[in-house]
Amino acid sequence: QVQVVESGGGLVQAGGSLRLSCTASGSILSINSMAWYRQAPGKQRELVATITEGGITNYGDSVKGRFTISRDNAEKTVYLQMNSLKPEDTAVYYCNVDLIATILPQRRDIWGQGTLVTVSS
C-alpha cells in the first residue's frame, strides 16, 4: 500500500507561523511532484504550492511571499512553512503526491487526509 500522512496543523494567532509536514510511505519507487492544497469552509479546494522532484516551486497568488514549500527526497517528505498567517488562511490543508509505486497500478496520485489550520484574528 501507499499512503501520505500530514501533520502540523493547529490554532495560531494572526501574524504567527506554522509548519506542515507530509510523509509518503509504502511501496514507492519514486516521487514526482508534491503539493499542498487547501479548502476553506464553503469554498473550492485551491492550490497552495507545488514542488517538483528537482525543487522547482510554484505558489498560489494568495500565499506568495508568506509560504515556503520544500521537500526532503530521502525522507519522502514535503513541508509547508507558513508565516505571517491571516484569518483567511484558515482551511483544511491537504497534501498531494504524484508518485510511481513498485506495485500496480504504478502511477498514483495520492491525497492525505487533511490537517486543519485555524488562524484567529
Side-chain angles (χ1 to χ4, degrees), residues 42-65:
K43 295 188 176 182
Q44 289 189 331
R45 190 172 296 190
E46 66 171 348
L47 174 69
V48 176
T50 64
I51 185 167
T52 67
E53 184 178 9
I56 298 172
T57 59
N58 182 52
Y59 295 92
D61 289 341
S62 61
V63 306
K64 285 181 181 177

Side-chain angles (χ1 to χ4, degrees), residues 3-23:
Q3 65 175 357
V4 295
V5 178
E6 302 115 332
S7 62
L11 174 64
V12 64
Q13 287 189 331
S17 298
L18 278 177
R19 189 193 196 203
L20 305 183
S21 300
C22 168
T23 299

Side-chain angles (χ1 to χ4, degrees), residues 20-97:
L20 305 183
S21 300
C22 168
T23 299
S25 62
S27 304
I28 298 171
L29 180 63
S30 64
I31 295 177
N32 300 319
S33 63
M34 307 180 87
W36 290 96
Y37 289 76
R38 68 185 182 186
Q39 188 166 18
K43 295 188 176 182
Q44 289 189 331
R45 190 172 296 190
E46 66 171 348
L47 174 69
V48 176
T50 64
I51 185 167
T52 67
E53 184 178 9
I56 298 172
T57 59
N58 182 52
Y59 295 92
D61 289 341
S62 61
V63 306
K64 285 181 181 177
R66 299 188 298 123
F67 291 10
T68 302
I69 189 171
S70 60
R71 62 189 281 174
D72 183 330
N73 291 329
E75 297 296 326
K76 301 184 180 65
T77 298
V78 62
Y79 304 97
L80 185 68
Q81 178 65 43
M82 305 184 293
N83 298 328
S84 302
L85 282 161
K86 304 175 182 179
E88 50 263 45
D89 294 318
T90 295
V92 177
Y93 285 70
Y94 296 91
C95 174
N96 175 256
V97 179

